């Protein structure tokens, strides 16, 4: 017996920043500010990520590149590493991402790369709390409810069959 399964997801797209709630607008601004601090001399593509923790605290990071290209790190993974290392008990609830080229903010935000999706999935699984992903472009913003939408059929700690807390 063969079944054809279908996976689809819905997400919200806002045409104007004013349509978002003030917390999300603040988070987007933090991601944009962070992007301007990126160290991206090779790609000249600057990315900022800002994470809202359950307490309301915001933790940010930008992409940091390296002459040995694979040693660079994306903004999203930098921000998660920052929040987990410094506020392990405070769960991330949202992450806003923004990017800039030499011409300024990009029209669309980059969607997290595969490695960042996997790290966001690990954090959702560690905390048991879904993370809203806010892709912020110059004008348009997309809000995606959880990494399951961007990384379906994911490999998680559950697959390892270990006795983890
Ligand atoms: N980058 C990020 O920081 N996040 C993304 O979501 C996509 C890509 C960085 C990696 C590299 O420094 C530059 O953008 C170009 O790929």
């Amino acid at each position: 017996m063969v079944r054809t399964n279908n996976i689809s997801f819905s997400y919200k797209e806002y045409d104007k920043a004013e349509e978002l709630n003030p917390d999300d607008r603040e988070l987007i601004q933090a991601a944009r500010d962070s992007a301007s601090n990126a160290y991206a001399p090779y790609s000249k593509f600057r990315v900022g990520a800002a994470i809202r923790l359950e307490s309301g605290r915001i933790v940010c990071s930008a992409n940091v590149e390296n002459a040995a290209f694979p040693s660079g790190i994306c903004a999203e993974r930098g921000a998660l590493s920052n929040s987990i290392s410094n506020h392990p008990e405070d769960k991330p609830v949202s992450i806003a991402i923004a990017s800039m080229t030499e011409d300024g903010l990009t029209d669309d935000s980059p969607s997290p790369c595969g490695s960042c999706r996997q790290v966001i999935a690990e954090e959702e699984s560690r905390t048991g709390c879904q993370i809203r992903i806010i892709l912020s472009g110059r004008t348009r913003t997309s809000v995606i409810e959880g990494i399951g939408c961007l990384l379906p059929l994911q490999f998680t700690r559950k697959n390892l069959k270990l006795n983890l807390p």
Side-chain angles (χ1 to χ4, degrees), residues 15-31:
D15 287 332
K16 292 194 189 107
E18 301 81 67
E19 293 165 333
L20 290 147
N21 70 50
D23 274 5
D24 286 350
R25 278 151 64 179
E26 184 191 28
L27 201 62
I28 288 169
Q29 190 54 53

Side-chain angles (χ1 to χ4, degrees), residues 27 49-53 57-61 78-80 82-83 87:
L27 201 62
I51 297 175
R52 169 87 60 194
L53 303 178
R57 182 192 293 271
I58 293 177
V59 175
C60 299
S61 188
L80 277 166
N82 185 351
S83 77
H87 312 284

Side-chain angles (χ1 to χ4, degrees), residues 4-165:
T4 301
N5 298 324
N6 182 42
I7 298 176
S8 66
F9 77 96
S10 311
Y11 65 99
K12 293 212 159 67
E13 191 174 277
Y14 298 83
D15 287 332
K16 292 194 189 107
E18 301 81 67
E19 293 165 333
L20 290 147
N21 70 50
D23 274 5
D24 286 350
R25 278 151 64 179
E26 184 191 28
L27 201 62
I28 288 169
Q29 190 54 53
R32 290 177 173 178
D33 292 346
S34 207
S36 63
N37 293 332
Y39 174 65
Y42 305 108
S43 70
K44 306 206 183 305
F45 188 73
R46 296 191 282 168
V47 184
I51 297 175
R52 169 87 60 194
L53 303 178
E54 212 171 30
S55 64
R57 182 192 293 271
I58 293 177
V59 175
C60 299
S61 188
N63 56 328
V64 176
E65 297 184 346
N66 194 287
F69 286 4
S71 302
I73 185 163
C74 293
E76 297 92 322
R77 266 176 292 155
L80 277 166
S81 174
N82 185 351
S83 77
I84 296 165
S85 311
N86 295 300
H87 312 284
E89 306 301 331
D90 205 354
K91 301 175 184 176
V93 291
S94 304
I95 181 168
I97 305 159
S99 58
M100 302 167 74
T101 62
E102 285 169 307
D103 298 330
L105 282 173
T106 56
D107 282 337
D108 294 304
S109 149
S111 190
C113 77
S115 297
C116 290
R117 291 178 193 209
Q118 186 65 30
V119 172
I120 295 169
E122 180 74 21
E123 183 60 353
E124 281 194 355
S125 136
R126 182 184 78 92
T127 63
C129 181
Q130 215 172 58
I131 301 174
R132 294 169 64 244
I133 300 157
I134 304 170
L135 304 179
S136 143
R138 195 169 47 79
T139 53
R140 264 193 318 274
T141 302
S142 299
V143 179
I144 296 159
E145 300 293 335
I147 197 65
C149 300
L150 300 184
L151 191 63
L153 305 179
Q154 55 194 241
F155 180 79
T156 69
R157 47 173 36 209
K158 287 197 194 101
N159 297 101
L160 295 174
K161 305 285 179 210
L162 299 172
N163 280 325
L164 292 165

